[in-house]
Amino acid sequence: MTESNLNLLEALEPKRDAYGFAVRPQHIQTYRQYVNIYKEEEEERSEKWKIFLEQHAKPTEPCFSEVEDRKTLQAEATEMKEKPLPEENKESLHVEASEGNEEAAIEAKEETTSEKEHKVIFQSEATQLNVEAASEEGCRKTCQGEAIKVKEEVDSVDESKETSQTEATELEEGVASKRIKEGDAPSTKLDSAGSTEKPDSASLQESKTEKPDSAHSTESEREKEVQLAEETKTRKVERWAKTRPVLCAIENMMNSRAKKGKNMKNMNMNESGDHLPSIKEARSPEPESEDEFEEKVCVNVRSSREENDAGNEASQESFFPWKEELESLVHGGVPKDLRGEVWQAFVGVKARRVERYYEDLLAQETYEDDQQSNSSGVFRKWKRQIEKDLPRTFPGHPALNDNGRDSLRRLLLAYARHNPSVGYCQAMNFFAGLLLLLMPEENAFWTLVGIIDNYFDGYYTEEMIESQVDQLVFEELMRERFPKLVNHLDYLGVQVAWISGPWFLSIFVNMLPWESVLRIWDVLLFEGNRVMLFRTALALMELYGPALVTTKDAGDAITLLQSLAGSTFDSSQLVLTACMGFLAVTDARLQDLRDKHRPAVLAIVEERTKRGRVWKDSKGLASKLYSFKHDRGSLLEETKPAQEVADGDISNLETRSSNLDELLCSLNADSEVDSLPDLQEQVDWMKVELCRLLEEKRAAILRAEELETALVEMVKEDNRRQLSAKIEQLEQEVADLQQALADKKEQEAAMLKVLMRLEQEQRITEDARRNTEQDADAQRYAVTVLQEKYEKAMASIAQMEKRVVMAESMLEATLQYQSGQAKALSSPRAQRNQASTQDSPRRKAGILSFGLGWRDKNKGKPNFEESTDGKSWEET
Amino acid sequence: MGCSSSLPDRSAGRLSGLNNAENSGVPDAKNLRVKLVLLGDSGVGKSCIVLRFVRGQFDPTSKVVTVGASFLSQTIALQDSTTVKFEIWDTAGQERYAALAPLYYRGAGVAVIVYDITSPESFTKAQYWVKELQKHGSPDIVMALVGNKADLHENREVPVQDGIDYAEKNGMFFIETSAKTADNINQLFEEIAKRLPRPSSS
């Protein structure tokens, strides 16, 4: 049936997924591919969960009888009160009846959770039951009227205009559970193997018929009265449904965790100055009538039980041996129609819930609406922001019509009142919207309280400190796990926190496909801490890191990661990678890392608040309160007693839990409420009381502002001291600089001297150069002179040579002449002269040989002289 | 229309993200890359301006609250054939998210500070951002003051002159835009692109 609904939805709105959320156009194709996988997975997990719940719903049954054994008559009376109504209409709506029965079973089981609580709680439970009966009746009426058609369509909310939207949502809830019952019962009947179911339902029916009751008429009459009286209010305000009994086991386990958390908070508070107990003590002497308002006792008992719990922590772990099994189921995903209730069970909504708290917050709201001037500036700001954001939360979602947005508005306003240290922060609108799609309004409120106050404590406050701390922690983990990827991102200039910041803050809402978001939330809410945030982010990095490493600029890297993350349709792969791949990332490890990085963030925040004074809007106060809460500084202690003097029960400036306590206390204080016969009177009285509370609150705020101004003063003084220190330092620096300047001057003078000396030397060298140049000129001159002389010499030599040649030729001529004469002499006629001529040629030959030798000598000489001459010329 | 401050008409062509590929890698004088951050009060239309600029869309039915910040990029071409790739960080508007803003404006070359001309409060908030950036932004950051929702001029509460004066005093570029009618949206980014310091072409 669920599937047919889904198909219907799909057919109607092809651009929306099975949850009614818009699918981005670029993802429609991929989404279509995954729809069938999702369907298969869903079937598989429904089956698994059914088996699991059948197995573990039973062990709690004995407790039921135990309770019966304990003669808590009043409790039984309340149970009986409930019974007759379903029986009346038994024939017409069998399913309804059995559901009513289940309701009773829940009651009973609720009682088993604590016997002590049970005793005192009974009265409050009675009222609770009335309310429940009222809503149930409304439900039944419509069921009768519109028969089963209603349950065919989840989105038929608009059609049932007559029943207010509130009831319609209730109806949806009821329809959902009915569907399951219907689906379950036949299948088990057909399936002979699944016989476990049969005796279960059989015994239920038995127990129902076993209890005939005489008082039922009067009871139901009274109920109707109450209902009528409260009707307007109930219809508008009260939207509370219990989880189905099969989930009780889980609920119990998680409740103990929620209580533990609370308990720890109380202990912290006590450490910080023992104020809370003193407040309580101060209140206790006040008149306590018989009709003592239950809540007070309830609180006392609860706190005393918490002490026990603290002692029994270890035993609790062993008390739930199937926790691991459940864990693996959760990793596989929670079935759609169980999700709302399972989440509530995980967060421990039942343990957190305080009767009428939500209503009172809303009443406060409407009251202040009447006197607009009353609401404080901060609150008005939140209100405006909420109004701005309402239409921007899942726009176009079929379930978030006008009525849906009204619930969203109420829910967010109530939360802002509940925890002023957070107020309203963008992102919460998405969480609240998501929760409203899965559960009734008040259930959603308490779930949101659990998520923001505990799981994400300090995340969405004015300074968002823990959120910043987590980013630093995540970056460290990234560096440790994916050093290469981080190196690449560093290289591109991309900071991991740019991308992971929005992931964490939105808990992946709008960042991943819805199927994946819900699967992550399943695990996150089950684990009850932020480990899953880190694991999922790391898993995404593991899946997409390889692709990221290939990017070449910052823009591309971020775009790629965004689009890849946005198309992570394989939710099972993601969740399994996250849960199995990063087991070393544990809460303890994260806490250590947070402690390591927190001081840096706090320092920056402190800096910001200092300079941001002008723009503060009690913002500084918030941050201070935050650091007080974490440092438990002395100023907190100053603040508190002052308030106590002013009036004992103002503690709303404190943390959220005390805010809650305050309300309880104020309710306790005025136990007359209960004794007032007339509801109108009660309302009046409540108004007066509210007025008083508001005045007190204003007084406290004033006081806080005073304190803050005092703080500002102190901070300023601090600044002055710092400034004077700085001035001194600067003066010192100036002196140093002057000294340095003097030194520099001396150095300069010395340098000048050196320079002058250098110049002188330069001049000297210049002179020397000039001298050498003159020398060189002189030498050159000498060379030319020599050259001339040489040329002259050469010329004379040439003349001489000519002369020699002439002489030679003359000599030869003479020789020839002589030889001619000698021939003539050799005739007889000349013989007489023979002797003398013989002598004379010999003499002449002697002169000739001398002349020739000299000539030869002269011929070789000029060559040599020329070469040497050239050389010497070059040298000069 | 929007009463933009003495801006001559500009007609630079736009490339709808086509040259991402050729733009990747080291930016040069012709292909600039710049980180741009949008700041301003919640609901003034920061996301709408970006969506109008990047996707050319304006869909009042699908407006979604920005948590943390969101990223988009877009490349435009100027007349002198330079291209500028804007890497746009659109931040969350709620006051407390200012604590995370330094993460995004650190190292940004351009800051676009947006206010709503129908909301004096948002104008005050814009001035806060200008001061914050003057103190903590990079010293050579190019700042633009943008009065959005110019189409709602009948509800105007911040006079144009106020915007012009304030921008002038702080050495910013001023323009009034309308993401709804697309008025001056492209002009805004083109004007910013022209004011970017160019890497010296040595």
Side-chain angles (χ1 to χ4, degrees):
Chain A
M1 203 165 287
T2 337
E3 268 164 37
S4 70
N5 279 335
L6 298 184
N7 288 336
L8 197 74
L9 250 178
E10 236 172 276
L12 285 171
E13 274 275 23
K15 285 183 179 175
R16 297 197 168 266
D17 64 11
Y19 304 96
F21 294 111
V23 178
R24 278 177 221 155
Q26 68 266 35
H27 292 148
I28 286 177
Q29 206 57 38
T30 333
Y31 174 71
R32 288 223 181 93
Q33 287 168 7
Y34 273 92
V35 164
N36 289 327
I37 299 174
Y38 290 161
K39 249 180 228 167
E40 279 166 31
E41 282 181 349
E42 181 69 22
E43 277 164 26
E44 201 179 311
R45 71 173 74 105
S46 304
E47 196 58 32
K48 277 190 197 159
W49 276 81
K50 202 181 85 190
I51 294 166
F52 174 81
L53 292 176
E54 275 166 12
Q55 279 171 356
H56 297 286
K58 285 195 100 184
T60 52
E61 290 298 317
C63 301
F64 182 72
S65 53
E66 225 177 80
V67 172
E68 280 186 322
D69 290 348
R70 297 191 83 267
K71 58 273 165 197
T72 52
L73 296 168
Q74 295 144 323
E76 260 172 72
T78 60
E79 262 168 55
M80 281 184 241
K81 237 191 277 173
E82 249 238 310
K83 230 107 292 163
L85 288 161
E87 242 171 87
E88 280 174 343
N89 301 302
K90 198 182 162 192
E91 303 90 337
S92 59
L93 265 174
H94 179 82
V95 191
E96 198 61 39
S98 69
E99 215 195 330
N101 238 347
E102 280 172 24
E103 208 68 51
I106 308 173
E107 287 314 311
K109 260 172 236 155
E110 202 175 59
E111 281 140 25
T112 67
T113 57
S114 158
E115 292 155 3
K116 275 187 226 162
E117 180 187 38
H118 160 68
K119 252 194 248 165
V120 281
I121 235 173
F122 117 83
Q123 223 165 341
S124 72
E125 219 149 72
T127 50
Q128 196 175 314
L129 281 175
N130 288 349
V131 171
E132 235 157 63
S135 60
E136 210 175 83
E137 214 167 35
C139 181
R140 203 176 310 114
K141 272 179 201 157
T142 29
C143 277
Q144 281 171 328
E146 305 196 5
I148 302 155
K149 272 181 207 162
V150 186
K151 69 184 165 192
E152 301 270 351
E153 293 163 65
V154 181
D155 52 330
S156 68
V157 182
D158 300 328
E159 286 174 35
S160 54
K161 271 178 196 160
E162 247 194 73
T163 58
S164 72
Q165 165 72 15
T166 70
E167 273 166 347
T169 25
E170 206 107 290
L171 236 186
E172 260 185 67
E173 235 358 86
V175 166
S177 45
K178 244 183 283 161
R179 227 185 285 131
I180 257 237
K181 265 288 124 190
E182 278 179 350
D184 281 0
S187 71
T188 37
K189 268 166 203 162
L190 290 172
D191 231 351
S192 53
S195 55
T196 40
E197 173 91 3
K198 264 189 206 163
D200 217 5
S201 55
S203 72
L204 274 173
Q205 261 165 8
E206 267 172 36
S207 69
K208 181 188 69 202
T209 43
E210 256 170 30
K211 288 176 190 167
D213 62 287
S214 49
H216 95 80
S217 60
T218 50
E219 285 289 353
S220 60
E221 262 174 39
R222 220 199 82 185
E223 242 169 35
K224 270 171 194 158
E225 270 174 32
V226 176
Q227 191 198 324
L228 276 171
E230 285 192 294
E231 190 151 50
T232 46
K233 208 174 171 188
T234 315
R235 287 206 171 178
K236 272 188 201 151
V237 169
E238 179 73 47
R239 243 78 56 65
W240 171 255
K242 301 223 152 175
T243 50
R244 66 194 73 185
V246 281
L247 295 175
C248 266
I250 301 172
E251 210 163 37
N252 288 343
M253 180 174 86
M254 297 301 177
N255 283 356
S256 69
R257 187 172 69 189
K259 281 170 203 155
K260 232 189 285 171
K262 269 192 191 172
N263 187 35
M264 270 155 69
K265 242 181 198 164
N266 278 344
M267 273 163 33
N268 286 348
M269 224 80 82
N270 294 351
E271 273 171 38
S272 71
D274 257 343
H275 303 299
L276 276 185
S278 65
I279 291 172
K280 272 181 195 157
E281 273 160 30
R283 314 230 114 253
S284 58
E286 287 188 20
E288 290 184 26
S289 60
E290 293 268 351
D291 298 43
E292 170 74 53
F293 211 55
E294 320 77 32
E295 259 100 342
K296 175 170 183 173
V297 191
C298 177
V299 166
N300 288 347
V301 169
R302 195 174 289 168
S303 59
S304 69
R305 197 193 45 216
E306 274 162 15
E307 276 152 38
N308 293 342
D309 277 0
N312 295 339
E313 264 175 49
S315 65
Q316 270 173 6
E317 290 301 315
S318 57
F319 193 68
F320 304 104
W322 37 265
K323 203 187 158 192
E324 271 180 31
E325 193 185 341
L326 179 61
E327 189 176 2
S328 74
L329 274 183
V330 171
H331 287 175
V334 178
K336 273 187 194 116
D337 36 14
L338 279 174
R339 191 165 263 139
E341 287 169 84
V342 169
W343 282 10
Q344 289 176 54
F346 286 170
V347 178
V349 163
K350 202 196 283 176
R352 288 175 197 280
R353 185 178 186 231
V354 176
E355 194 66 34
R356 308 194 53 150
Y357 181 70
Y358 183 63
E359 279 171 74
D360 286 336
L361 288 173
L362 293 181
Q364 211 175 334
E365 180 54 36
T366 46
Y367 177 75
E368 288 207 356
D369 253 5
D370 295 344
Q371 336 196 328
Q372 285 174 344
S373 56
N374 242 354
S375 46
S376 66
V378 195
F379 196 79
R380 262 206 308 276
K381 203 168 70 185
W382 294 332
K383 217 167 159 179
R384 264 207 311 271
Q385 189 67 54
I386 290 171
E387 287 303 328
K388 271 187 200 166
D389 291 349
L390 283 176
R392 302 195 289 170
T393 308
F394 307 137
H397 192 285
L400 283 172
N401 51 12
D402 288 350
N403 287 321
R405 303 222 176 256
D406 285 345
S407 317
L408 186 56
R409 176 185 296 113
R410 280 195 296 270
L411 181 49
L412 291 172
L413 287 174
Y415 184 84
R417 288 217 177 269
H418 156 74
N419 184 357
S421 75
V422 171
Y424 169 71
C425 179
Q426 288 185 327
M428 279 163 57
N429 55 325
F430 293 119
F431 307 157
L434 171 60
L435 294 174
L436 278 176
L437 297 176
L438 296 170
M439 56 188 84
E441 191 176 313
E442 195 186 340
N443 301 57
F445 171 77
W446 289 105
T447 312
L448 187 68
V449 165
I451 294 171
I452 308 280
D453 286 6
N454 287 135
Y455 301 0
F456 286 79
D457 186 20
Y459 230 68
Y460 298 102
T461 51
E462 198 64 52
E463 310 292 354
M464 310 189 96
I465 288 164
E466 290 305 306
S467 145
Q468 297 181 57
V469 173
D470 269 10
Q471 286 314 311
L472 294 179
V473 173
F474 181 64
E475 200 183 324
E476 181 167 341
L477 288 175
M478 280 283 291
R479 281 189 194 283
E480 186 186 299
R481 283 300 183 119
F482 308 109
K484 265 187 202 159
L485 176 59
V486 177
N487 270 346
H488 182 70
L489 293 177
D490 280 348
Y491 165 71
L492 297 178
V494 174
Q495 268 181 280
V496 175
W498 291 351
I499 307 155
S500 57
W503 283 355
F504 280 40
L505 282 166
S506 60
I507 323 185
F508 298 104
V509 170
N510 291 336
M511 304 287 162
L512 305 177
W514 271 101
E515 183 75 17
S516 301
V517 173
L518 293 169
R519 293 281 301 273
I520 291 160
W521 278 60
D522 286 342
V523 181
L524 191 134
L525 296 182
F526 171 74
E527 288 176 348
N529 51 44
R530 299 197 293 272
V531 173
M532 189 58 186
L533 273 189
F534 286 88
R535 288 185 177 171
T536 308
L538 288 169
L540 285 169
M541 292 295 185
E542 177 159 298
L543 292 174
Y544 303 131
L548 280 183
V549 176
T550 64
T551 52
K552 290 195 181 102
D553 78 35
D556 292 349
I558 298 158
T559 311
L560 181 70
L561 184 54
Q562 271 185 349
S563 73
L564 284 174
S567 57
T568 313
F569 282 95
D570 196 342
S571 51
S572 293
Q573 185 198 21
L574 178 63
V575 172
L576 289 182
T577 314
C579 293
M580 300 300 140
F582 302 95
L583 288 172
V585 180
T586 61
D587 201 34
R589 173 91 206 283
L590 291 179
Q591 290 301 352
D592 286 349
L593 289 174
R594 282 179 190 132
D595 289 342
K596 179 176 146 196
H597 289 289
R598 192 172 289 114
V601 174
L602 283 175
I604 293 166
V605 166
E606 205 51 43
E607 168 76 11
R608 269 188 82 83
T609 40
K610 254 188 221 165
R611 70 180 146 92
R613 286 274 144 207
V614 197
W615 301 92
K616 61 131 197 194
D617 199 335
S618 85
K619 174 183 185 174
L621 186 63
S623 88
K624 248 148 244 163
L625 281 177
Y626 179 88
S627 45
F628 292 161
K629 197 178 107 196
H630 283 253
D631 305 344
R632 284 180 203 105
S634 55
L635 263 153
L636 178 61
E637 260 142 296
E638 266 175 47
T639 317
K640 294 284 316 240
Q643 283 171 2
E644 261 177 277
V645 170
D647 193 320
D649 64 1
I650 305 170
S651 51
N652 60 340
L653 280 175
E654 244 239 53
T655 56
R656 60 221 57 159
S657 57
S658 70
N659 186 34
L660 206 145
D661 282 15
E662 174 211 357
L663 203 112
L664 288 181
C665 287
S666 64
L667 286 172
N668 297 343
D670 316 291
S671 43
E672 318 96 70
V673 181
D674 230 28
S675 54
L676 288 174
D678 192 350
L679 273 167
Q680 186 53 43
E681 237 174 277
Q682 201 171 322
V683 168
D684 288 345
W685 180 87
M686 282 291 281
K687 276 189 182 170
V688 174
E689 186 56 21
L690 259 174
C691 250
R692 192 176 63 82
L693 276 172
L694 284 170
E695 256 165 53
E696 282 161 3
K697 191 178 146 197
R698 227 174 305 138
I701 288 170
L702 279 178
R703 172 79 187 137
E705 267 163 23
E706 259 173 58
L707 281 169
E708 204 195 348
T709 42
L711 256 171
V712 172
E713 217 68 300
M714 278 167 61
V715 169
K716 271 186 193 159
E717 224 154 299
D718 245 53
N719 266 358
R720 239 172 278 156
R721 221 176 304 142
Q722 271 183 341
L723 279 175
S724 59
K726 214 168 198 181
I727 286 169
E728 262 175 50
Q729 200 188 328
L730 284 173
E731 273 169 4
Q732 182 63 41
E733 265 172 50
V734 167
D736 286 352
L737 279 173
Q738 275 170 345
Q739 183 62 41
L741 196 73
D743 288 352
K744 276 270 146 85
K745 273 182 187 162
E746 264 176 51
Q747 270 183 336
E748 212 177 66
M751 286 293 278
L752 265 177
K753 271 183 205 163
V754 173
L755 259 174
M756 265 149 68
R757 213 184 309 148
L758 271 173
E759 248 170 73
Q760 267 178 337
E761 271 169 33
Q762 218 177 3
R763 224 174 299 141
I764 290 166
T765 46
E766 185 75 9
D767 286 349
R769 195 176 59 90
R770 228 172 297 139
N771 284 346
T772 48
E773 256 171 48
Q774 278 172 351
D775 283 353
D777 281 347
Q779 275 177 358
R780 223 171 292 146
Y781 178 70
V783 166
T784 46
V785 169
L786 276 171
Q787 183 79 14
E788 275 167 29
K789 273 184 189 169
Y790 166 75
E791 268 162 26
K792 271 182 202 161
M794 285 303 282
S796 57
I797 285 169
Q799 264 180 333
M800 298 253 293
E801 251 174 270
K802 272 182 200 160
R803 260 185 242 162
V804 166
V805 172
M806 243 192 321
E808 259 174 55
S809 55
M810 275 172 67
L811 256 177
E812 262 169 64
T814 333
L815 277 174
Q816 273 176 348
Y817 173 74
Q818 273 182 347
S819 60
Q821 275 211 327
K823 269 174 197 168
L825 277 173
S826 58
S827 60
R829 215 190 346 159
Q831 263 199 347
R832 45 159 186 148
N833 288 337
Q834 208 172 6
S836 62
T837 47
Q838 259 180 340
D839 214 279
S840 71
R842 205 168 282 159
R843 188 181 33 106
K844 278 186 184 168
I847 292 170
L848 187 75
S849 71
F850 169 79
L852 284 171
W854 188 83
R855 191 193 61 184
D856 288 345
K857 238 192 211 167
N858 248 359
K859 264 181 189 166
K861 205 177 173 183
N863 289 337
F864 171 77
E865 267 198 9
E866 250 169 20
S867 70
T868 47
D869 212 4
K871 258 186 202 166
S872 71
W873 183 250
E874 269 173 5
E875 274 169 5
T876 50
Chain B
M1 327 237 347
C3 309
S4 65
S5 69
S6 67
L7 278 180
D9 193 39
R10 235 150 249 119
S11 58
R14 215 172 101 207
L15 304 179
S16 37
L18 281 176
N19 46 343
N20 272 3
E22 75 179 52
N23 236 19
S24 62
V26 191
D28 50 49
K30 284 284 171 192
N31 300 303
L32 300 174
R33 207 154 57 77
V34 66
K35 179 177 166 187
L36 182 150
V37 62
L38 273 130
L39 298 164
D41 202 4
S42 161
V44 297
K46 296 180 292 299
S47 304
C48 289
I49 289 175
V50 182
L51 283 178
R52 173 58 91 180
F53 171 58
V54 175
R55 302 214 179 116
Q57 298 169 344
F58 179 80
D59 186 1
T61 61
S62 65
K63 276 185 222 156
V64 162
V65 174
T66 308
V67 174
S70 74
F71 179 85
L72 279 173
S73 75
Q74 171 73 303
T75 307
I76 63 168
L78 298 180
Q79 273 179 327
D80 59 355
S81 82
T82 42
T83 66
V84 179
K85 181 175 182 182
F86 288 105
E87 298 172 353
I88 305 168
W89 281 104
D90 172 22
T91 62
Q94 199 187 3
E95 192 171 333
R96 68 185 64 182
Y97 279 96
L100 308 182
L103 188 65
Y104 295 101
Y105 70 63
R106 216 179 290 132
V110 181
V112 175
I113 295 155
V114 187
Y115 68 90
D116 172 357
I117 65 156
T118 69
S119 155
E121 201 190 352
S122 73
F123 187 57
T124 317
K125 191 76 202 175
Q127 297 173 13
Y128 158 80
W129 280 117
V130 172
K131 279 178 195 138
E132 165 111 5
L133 284 169
Q134 283 167 347
K135 274 189 219 153
H136 302 279
S138 33
D140 53 351
I141 194 166
V142 174
M143 284 202 274
L145 182 67
V146 174
N148 195 30
K149 306 196 187 176
D151 53 295
L152 300 176
H153 47 82
E154 67 273 19
N155 299 327
R156 172 190 292 279
E157 294 209 26
V158 183
V160 194
Q161 200 55 43
D162 286 11
I164 295 173
D165 290 347
Y166 187 79
E168 202 172 308
K169 232 188 327 184
N170 292 279
M172 303 165 78
F173 158 63
F174 174 77
I175 195 169
E176 285 197 350
T177 61
S178 165
K180 189 173 175 182
T181 64
D183 247 2
N184 277 343
I185 296 291
N186 289 344
Q187 284 87 330
L188 163 66
F189 287 93
E190 281 152 18
E191 190 59 30
I192 289 168
K194 290 188 175 172
R195 281 155 197 259
L196 292 177
R198 305 291 159 113
S200 52
S201 47
S202 53

